[in-house]
């Protein structure tokens, strides 16, 4: 009798728009990835000349003296004049060294990381950036790693998980232990409601003598980044944290490796159903973010050899 031929797995019938994305990905990944130094340098210099992330991504006492009028990037009509008290919370100098890191891993929170075994590979990067205080323990380490140099926190998490830091704050400080000595990057001046809770996060970490230091996104940088991506043809109300951190990494690092970026609910190789995050299935607000469009831009940068987007499992 004839041996049964094994049929290649197919995306489930329920997955309508993912087919197109999966086919695009399979086509790109059929070719071995190679860094294209010229394309990378060109993209980096475009980013640097338009956004100046190196000097301007975060607020410091150098780039934001007392008296500066900060314009909120999410609410253009809102401004804040920097007084001595707010100024005293700013970093004295630039948080990044004046040279680029060799390799940076930017870790998105996509469900695709779930069973990836990429923890070791992620931790081997010189600089590891994570988004929105993601969980790193309880078995996740194997897949997402634990090294963290920079981690962002959306104030909505501080509101929901830590009672906006209005009551007891020990739980907040303790839950941040898994991020070691990293920098906590807060969008304190994106929306008016972010400012008091971001200041409370900073005061809490200082008062509890946490090794984690808080730093604020510069709203001027976020605004120039939004314009930069718009000029690249990306249409979105607000950039996602992941593409913001990827853009910053492209200025700070020679080799940018992305993990956990796959805003679709079917795995591109195994076709298994995925949750939105590797730790929960909370959905992204499509009213603000356009992650599939962002993903197409990241995939383009991958195929141009500017950065490497990891979608498969690590060995
Ligand atoms: O704060 P935000 O909602 O933008 O992000 P998140 O859900 O905490 O995830 C962090 C980042 O990972 C996002 O900003 C996306 O860039 C990326 N992500 C993705 O590419 N695919 C997913 N399924 C989930 C997140």
């Amino acid at each position: 009798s004839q041996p049964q031929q094994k049929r290649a797995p197919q995306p489930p019938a329920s997955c309508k728009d993912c087919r197109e994305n999966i086919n695009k990905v399979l086509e790109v990944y059929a070719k071995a990835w190679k860094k294209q130094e010229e394309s990378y340098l060109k993209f980096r210099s475009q980013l640097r000349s338009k956004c100046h992330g190196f000097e301007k991504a975060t607020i410091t006492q150098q780039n934001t003296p007392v008296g500066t009028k900060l314009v909120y990037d999410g609410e253009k009509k809102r401004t804040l004049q920097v007084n001595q008290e707010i100024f005293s919370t700013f970093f004295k100098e630039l948080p990044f060294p004046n040279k680029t890191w060799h390799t940076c891993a930017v870790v998105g929170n996509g469900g695709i990381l779930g069973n990836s075994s990429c923890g070791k590979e992620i931790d081997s990067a010189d600089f590891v950036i994570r988004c929105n205080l993601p969980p790193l323990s309880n078995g996740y380490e194997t897949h997402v790693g634990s090294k963290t140099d920079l981690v962002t926190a959306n104030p909505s998490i501080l509101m929901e998980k830590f009672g906006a830091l209005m009551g007891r704050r020990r739980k907040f400080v303790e839950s941040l232990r898994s991020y070691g000595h990293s920098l906590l990057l807060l969008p304190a001046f994106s929306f008016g409601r972010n400012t008091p809770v971001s200041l409370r996060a900073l005061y809490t970490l200082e008062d509890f003598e946490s090794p984690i230091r808080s730093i604020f996104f510069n709203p001027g940088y976020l605004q120039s980044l939004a314009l930069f991506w718009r000029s690249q043809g990306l249409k979105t109300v607000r950039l996602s944290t992941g593409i913001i951190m990827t853009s910053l990494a492209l200025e700070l690092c020679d080799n940018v490796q992305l993990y956990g970026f796959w805003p679709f609910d079917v795995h591109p190789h195994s076709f298994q159903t995925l949750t939105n995050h590797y730790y929960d299935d909370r959905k992204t607000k499509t009213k603000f973010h356009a992650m599939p469009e962002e993903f197409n831009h990241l995939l383009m940068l991958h195929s141009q050899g500017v950065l490497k987007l990891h979608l498969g499992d690590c060995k």
Side-chain angles (χ1 to χ4, degrees), residues 42-43 46-47 50 225-235 243 293 297 300-301 304:
K42 190 169 158 221
F43 196 79
Q46 275 176 7
L47 259 176
K50 298 268 171 55
L225 205 52
L227 292 176
F228 172 82
W229 281 109
R230 201 173 301 158
S231 76
Q232 299 282 310
L234 175 62
K235 291 194 187 75
I243 199 163
E293 284 77 2
H297 282 265
M300 202 146 62
L301 292 178
Q304 292 165 356

PDB file of all heavy atoms in Angstrom, residues 42-43 46-47 50 225-235 243 293 297 300-301 304:
ATOM      1  N   LYS A  42      21.321  53.833   6.773  1.00  0.00           N
ATOM      2  CA  LYS A  42      20.479  54.850   6.147  1.00  0.00           C
ATOM      3  C   LYS A  42      19.232  55.098   7.015  1.00  0.00           C
ATOM      4  O   LYS A  42      18.879  56.243   7.301  1.00  0.00           O
ATOM      5  CB  LYS A  42      20.075  54.376   4.751  1.00  0.00           C
ATOM      6  CG  LYS A  42      19.419  55.434   3.935  1.00  0.00           C
ATOM      7  CD  LYS A  42      19.284  55.032   2.486  1.00  0.00           C
ATOM      8  CE  LYS A  42      18.174  55.858   1.865  1.00  0.00           C
ATOM      9  NZ  LYS A  42      17.326  55.101   0.972  1.00  0.00           N
ATOM     10  N   PHE A  43      18.599  54.000   7.442  1.00  0.00           N
ATOM     11  CA  PHE A  43      17.395  54.150   8.256  1.00  0.00           C
ATOM     12  C   PHE A  43      17.729  54.827   9.583  1.00  0.00           C
ATOM     13  O   PHE A  43      17.020  55.711  10.047  1.00  0.00           O
ATOM     14  CB  PHE A  43      16.729  52.786   8.496  1.00  0.00           C
ATOM     15  CG  PHE A  43      15.317  52.907   8.975  1.00  0.00           C
ATOM     16  CD1 PHE A  43      14.288  53.181   8.089  1.00  0.00           C
ATOM     17  CD2 PHE A  43      15.008  52.765  10.320  1.00  0.00           C
ATOM     18  CE1 PHE A  43      12.977  53.313   8.520  1.00  0.00           C
ATOM     19  CE2 PHE A  43      13.701  52.904  10.766  1.00  0.00           C
ATOM     20  CZ  PHE A  43      12.681  53.173   9.871  1.00  0.00           C
ATOM     21  N   GLN A  46      18.226  58.523   9.141  1.00  0.00           N
ATOM     22  CA  GLN A  46      16.932  59.219   8.953  1.00  0.00           C
ATOM     23  C   GLN A  46      16.257  59.440  10.310  1.00  0.00           C
ATOM     24  O   GLN A  46      15.797  60.538  10.614  1.00  0.00           O
ATOM     25  CB  GLN A  46      15.992  58.347   8.120  1.00  0.00           C
ATOM     26  CG  GLN A  46      16.169  58.475   6.631  1.00  0.00           C
ATOM     27  CD  GLN A  46      15.249  57.495   5.889  1.00  0.00           C
ATOM     28  OE1 GLN A  46      14.404  56.827   6.487  1.00  0.00           O
ATOM     29  NE2 GLN A  46      15.421  57.413   4.602  1.00  0.00           N
ATOM     30  N   LEU A  47      16.230  58.374  11.100  1.00  0.00           N
ATOM     31  CA  LEU A  47      15.609  58.467  12.421  1.00  0.00           C
ATOM     32  C   LEU A  47      16.322  59.510  13.282  1.00  0.00           C
ATOM     33  O   LEU A  47      15.691  60.332  13.941  1.00  0.00           O
ATOM     34  CB  LEU A  47      15.704  57.120  13.131  1.00  0.00           C
ATOM     35  CG  LEU A  47      14.490  56.204  13.165  1.00  0.00           C
ATOM     36  CD1 LEU A  47      14.856  54.902  13.828  1.00  0.00           C
ATOM     37  CD2 LEU A  47      13.311  56.838  13.884  1.00  0.00           C
ATOM     38  N   LYS A  50      15.594  63.118  12.223  1.00  0.00           N
ATOM     39  CA  LYS A  50      14.212  63.586  12.452  1.00  0.00           C
ATOM     40  C   LYS A  50      13.836  63.563  13.937  1.00  0.00           C
ATOM     41  O   LYS A  50      13.023  64.367  14.381  1.00  0.00           O
ATOM     42  CB  LYS A  50      13.221  62.705  11.683  1.00  0.00           C
ATOM     43  CG  LYS A  50      13.393  62.728  10.179  1.00  0.00           C
ATOM     44  CD  LYS A  50      12.517  63.792   9.560  1.00  0.00           C
ATOM     45  CE  LYS A  50      12.785  64.026   8.084  1.00  0.00           C
ATOM     46  NZ  LYS A  50      12.704  62.833   7.256  1.00  0.00           N
ATOM     47  N   LEU A 225       8.453  61.323  16.567  1.00  0.00           N
ATOM     48  CA  LEU A 225       8.404  59.935  16.122  1.00  0.00           C
ATOM     49  C   LEU A 225       7.080  59.649  15.387  1.00  0.00           C
ATOM     50  O   LEU A 225       7.064  58.962  14.367  1.00  0.00           O
ATOM     51  CB  LEU A 225       8.534  59.021  17.345  1.00  0.00           C
ATOM     52  CG  LEU A 225       9.084  57.632  17.127  1.00  0.00           C
ATOM     53  CD1 LEU A 225      10.408  57.667  16.382  1.00  0.00           C
ATOM     54  CD2 LEU A 225       9.261  56.933  18.473  1.00  0.00           C
ATOM     55  N   ALA A 226       5.976  60.218  15.910  1.00  0.00           N
ATOM     56  CA  ALA A 226       4.673  60.044  15.252  1.00  0.00           C
ATOM     57  C   ALA A 226       4.728  60.639  13.841  1.00  0.00           C
ATOM     58  O   ALA A 226       4.255  60.023  12.876  1.00  0.00           O
ATOM     59  CB  ALA A 226       3.571  60.704  16.079  1.00  0.00           C
ATOM     60  N   LEU A 227       5.375  61.814  13.711  1.00  0.00           N
ATOM     61  CA  LEU A 227       5.487  62.435  12.387  1.00  0.00           C
ATOM     62  C   LEU A 227       6.386  61.610  11.473  1.00  0.00           C
ATOM     63  O   LEU A 227       6.111  61.439  10.291  1.00  0.00           O
ATOM     64  CB  LEU A 227       6.050  63.862  12.512  1.00  0.00           C
ATOM     65  CG  LEU A 227       5.144  64.881  13.201  1.00  0.00           C
ATOM     66  CD1 LEU A 227       5.861  66.227  13.338  1.00  0.00           C
ATOM     67  CD2 LEU A 227       3.840  65.051  12.424  1.00  0.00           C
ATOM     68  N   PHE A 228       7.466  61.068  12.047  1.00  0.00           N
ATOM     69  CA  PHE A 228       8.393  60.258  11.260  1.00  0.00           C
ATOM     70  C   PHE A 228       7.659  59.063  10.651  1.00  0.00           C
ATOM     71  O   PHE A 228       7.737  58.805   9.450  1.00  0.00           O
ATOM     72  CB  PHE A 228       9.557  59.758  12.126  1.00  0.00           C
ATOM     73  CG  PHE A 228      10.436  58.764  11.417  1.00  0.00           C
ATOM     74  CD1 PHE A 228      11.421  59.196  10.545  1.00  0.00           C
ATOM     75  CD2 PHE A 228      10.248  57.397  11.598  1.00  0.00           C
ATOM     76  CE1 PHE A 228      12.216  58.278   9.867  1.00  0.00           C
ATOM     77  CE2 PHE A 228      11.040  56.469  10.924  1.00  0.00           C
ATOM     78  CZ  PHE A 228      12.028  56.911  10.050  1.00  0.00           C
ATOM     79  N   TRP A 229       6.903  58.334  11.491  1.00  0.00           N
ATOM     80  CA  TRP A 229       6.227  57.132  10.989  1.00  0.00           C
ATOM     81  C   TRP A 229       5.108  57.490  10.023  1.00  0.00           C
ATOM     82  O   TRP A 229       4.821  56.761   9.088  1.00  0.00           O
ATOM     83  CB  TRP A 229       5.741  56.254  12.151  1.00  0.00           C
ATOM     84  CG  TRP A 229       6.883  55.455  12.714  1.00  0.00           C
ATOM     85  CD1 TRP A 229       7.504  55.629  13.910  1.00  0.00           C
ATOM     86  CD2 TRP A 229       7.565  54.352  12.071  1.00  0.00           C
ATOM     87  NE1 TRP A 229       8.528  54.719  14.064  1.00  0.00           N
ATOM     88  CE2 TRP A 229       8.582  53.916  12.948  1.00  0.00           C
ATOM     89  CE3 TRP A 229       7.427  53.703  10.846  1.00  0.00           C
ATOM     90  CZ2 TRP A 229       9.446  52.865  12.637  1.00  0.00           C
ATOM     91  CZ3 TRP A 229       8.277  52.654  10.535  1.00  0.00           C
ATOM     92  CH2 TRP A 229       9.274  52.238  11.429  1.00  0.00           C
ATOM     93  N   ARG A 230       4.466  58.653  10.254  1.00  0.00           N
ATOM     94  CA  ARG A 230       3.446  59.097   9.307  1.00  0.00           C
ATOM     95  C   ARG A 230       4.102  59.347   7.946  1.00  0.00           C
ATOM     96  O   ARG A 230       3.566  58.974   6.914  1.00  0.00           O
ATOM     97  CB  ARG A 230       2.758  60.367   9.825  1.00  0.00           C
ATOM     98  CG  ARG A 230       1.395  60.576   9.186  1.00  0.00           C
ATOM     99  CD  ARG A 230       0.638  61.718   9.812  1.00  0.00           C
ATOM    100  NE  ARG A 230       0.415  61.529  11.250  1.00  0.00           N
ATOM    101  CZ  ARG A 230       0.166  62.531  12.099  1.00  0.00           C
ATOM    102  NH1 ARG A 230       0.123  63.778  11.674  1.00  0.00           N
ATOM    103  NH2 ARG A 230      -0.042  62.282  13.377  1.00  0.00           N
ATOM    104  N   SER A 231       5.294  59.933   7.969  1.00  0.00           N
ATOM    105  CA  SER A 231       5.979  60.196   6.704  1.00  0.00           C
ATOM    106  C   SER A 231       6.412  58.902   6.011  1.00  0.00           C
ATOM    107  O   SER A 231       6.682  58.882   4.817  1.00  0.00           O
ATOM    108  CB  SER A 231       7.184  61.129   6.923  1.00  0.00           C
ATOM    109  OG  SER A 231       8.237  60.379   7.497  1.00  0.00           O
ATOM    110  N   GLN A 232       6.480  57.813   6.780  1.00  0.00           N
ATOM    111  CA  GLN A 232       6.808  56.506   6.191  1.00  0.00           C
ATOM    112  C   GLN A 232       5.544  55.798   5.680  1.00  0.00           C
ATOM    113  O   GLN A 232       5.602  54.657   5.247  1.00  0.00           O
ATOM    114  CB  GLN A 232       7.454  55.593   7.250  1.00  0.00           C
ATOM    115  CG  GLN A 232       8.757  56.104   7.833  1.00  0.00           C
ATOM    116  CD  GLN A 232       9.930  55.875   6.894  1.00  0.00           C
ATOM    117  OE1 GLN A 232      10.130  54.781   6.393  1.00  0.00           O
ATOM    118  NE2 GLN A 232      10.688  56.920   6.644  1.00  0.00           N
ATOM    119  N   GLY A 233       4.397  56.450   5.847  1.00  0.00           N
ATOM    120  CA  GLY A 233       3.144  55.878   5.349  1.00  0.00           C
ATOM    121  C   GLY A 233       2.359  55.106   6.387  1.00  0.00           C
ATOM    122  O   GLY A 233       1.371  54.445   6.044  1.00  0.00           O
ATOM    123  N   LEU A 234       2.750  55.174   7.648  1.00  0.00           N
ATOM    124  CA  LEU A 234       2.024  54.435   8.692  1.00  0.00           C
ATOM    125  C   LEU A 234       0.865  55.286   9.216  1.00  0.00           C
ATOM    126  O   LEU A 234       1.080  56.399   9.702  1.00  0.00           O
ATOM    127  CB  LEU A 234       2.981  54.073   9.833  1.00  0.00           C
ATOM    128  CG  LEU A 234       2.365  53.407  11.060  1.00  0.00           C
ATOM    129  CD1 LEU A 234       1.737  52.071  10.703  1.00  0.00           C
ATOM    130  CD2 LEU A 234       3.417  53.193  12.149  1.00  0.00           C
ATOM    131  N   LYS A 235      -0.345  54.732   9.104  1.00  0.00           N
ATOM    132  CA  LYS A 235      -1.518  55.485   9.578  1.00  0.00           C
ATOM    133  C   LYS A 235      -1.993  54.892  10.900  1.00  0.00           C
ATOM    134  O   LYS A 235      -2.424  53.755  10.959  1.00  0.00           O
ATOM    135  CB  LYS A 235      -2.643  55.406   8.550  1.00  0.00           C
ATOM    136  CG  LYS A 235      -2.321  56.159   7.290  1.00  0.00           C
ATOM    137  CD  LYS A 235      -3.575  56.360   6.446  1.00  0.00           C
ATOM    138  CE  LYS A 235      -3.222  56.971   5.105  1.00  0.00           C
ATOM    139  NZ  LYS A 235      -2.589  56.007   4.188  1.00  0.00           N
ATOM    140  N   ILE A 243       6.534  49.789  18.880  1.00  0.00           N
ATOM    141  CA  ILE A 243       7.204  50.439  17.737  1.00  0.00           C
ATOM    142  C   ILE A 243       8.002  51.650  18.231  1.00  0.00           C
ATOM    143  O   ILE A 243       9.051  51.983  17.674  1.00  0.00           O
ATOM    144  CB  ILE A 243       6.217  50.781  16.588  1.00  0.00           C
ATOM    145  CG1 ILE A 243       7.009  50.988  15.288  1.00  0.00           C
ATOM    146  CG2 ILE A 243       5.357  51.983  16.898  1.00  0.00           C
ATOM    147  CD1 ILE A 243       6.185  50.930  14.034  1.00  0.00           C
ATOM    148  N   GLU A 293      -0.756  47.200  10.883  1.00  0.00           N
ATOM    149  CA  GLU A 293      -0.037  48.103   9.963  1.00  0.00           C
ATOM    150  C   GLU A 293       1.400  48.300  10.445  1.00  0.00           C
ATOM    151  O   GLU A 293       2.337  48.312   9.650  1.00  0.00           O
ATOM    152  CB  GLU A 293      -0.733  49.479   9.883  1.00  0.00           C
ATOM    153  CG  GLU A 293      -2.000  49.499   9.062  1.00  0.00           C
ATOM    154  CD  GLU A 293      -3.183  48.899   9.824  1.00  0.00           C
ATOM    155  OE1 GLU A 293      -3.015  48.508  11.000  1.00  0.00           O
ATOM    156  OE2 GLU A 293      -4.259  48.791   9.220  1.00  0.00           O
ATOM    157  N   HIS A 297       5.272  47.327   8.601  1.00  0.00           N
ATOM    158  CA  HIS A 297       6.470  48.159   8.515  1.00  0.00           C
ATOM    159  C   HIS A 297       7.675  47.439   9.119  1.00  0.00           C
ATOM    160  O   HIS A 297       8.776  47.494   8.576  1.00  0.00           O
ATOM    161  CB  HIS A 297       6.248  49.513   9.194  1.00  0.00           C
ATOM    162  CG  HIS A 297       5.444  50.446   8.343  1.00  0.00           C
ATOM    163  ND1 HIS A 297       6.017  51.378   7.512  1.00  0.00           N
ATOM    164  CD2 HIS A 297       4.114  50.551   8.164  1.00  0.00           C
ATOM    165  CE1 HIS A 297       5.054  52.030   6.862  1.00  0.00           C
ATOM    166  NE2 HIS A 297       3.897  51.549   7.247  1.00  0.00           N
ATOM    167  N   MET A 300       8.853  44.827   6.810  1.00  0.00           N
ATOM    168  CA  MET A 300       9.592  45.429   5.702  1.00  0.00           C
ATOM    169  C   MET A 300      11.041  45.694   6.136  1.00  0.00           C
ATOM    170  O   MET A 300      11.985  45.399   5.405  1.00  0.00           O
ATOM    171  CB  MET A 300       8.918  46.738   5.300  1.00  0.00           C
ATOM    172  CG  MET A 300       9.211  47.189   3.904  1.00  0.00           C
ATOM    173  SD  MET A 300       7.771  48.004   3.222  1.00  0.00           S
ATOM    174  CE  MET A 300       7.553  49.393   4.309  1.00  0.00           C
ATOM    175  N   LEU A 301      11.209  46.240   7.344  1.00  0.00           N
ATOM    176  CA  LEU A 301      12.566  46.510   7.842  1.00  0.00           C
ATOM    177  C   LEU A 301      13.349  45.204   8.001  1.00  0.00           C
ATOM    178  O   LEU A 301      14.553  45.157   7.767  1.00  0.00           O
ATOM    179  CB  LEU A 301      12.512  47.263   9.180  1.00  0.00           C
ATOM    180  CG  LEU A 301      11.969  48.695   9.103  1.00  0.00           C
ATOM    181  CD1 LEU A 301      11.913  49.318  10.505  1.00  0.00           C
ATOM    182  CD2 LEU A 301      12.837  49.563   8.186  1.00  0.00           C
ATOM    183  N   GLN A 304      14.477  44.157   4.627  1.00  0.00           N
ATOM    184  CA  GLN A 304      15.566  45.034   4.138  1.00  0.00           C
ATOM    185  C   GLN A 304      16.858  44.834   4.918  1.00  0.00           C
ATOM    186  O   GLN A 304      17.858  45.498   4.654  1.00  0.00           O
ATOM    187  CB  GLN A 304      15.144  46.512   4.256  1.00  0.00           C
ATOM    188  CG  GLN A 304      14.018  46.897   3.310  1.00  0.00           C
ATOM    189  CD  GLN A 304      13.381  48.225   3.695  1.00  0.00           C
ATOM    190  OE1 GLN A 304      13.726  48.836   4.721  1.00  0.00           O
ATOM    191  NE2 GLN A 304      12.439  48.674   2.886  1.00  0.00           N
TER     192      GLN A 304
END
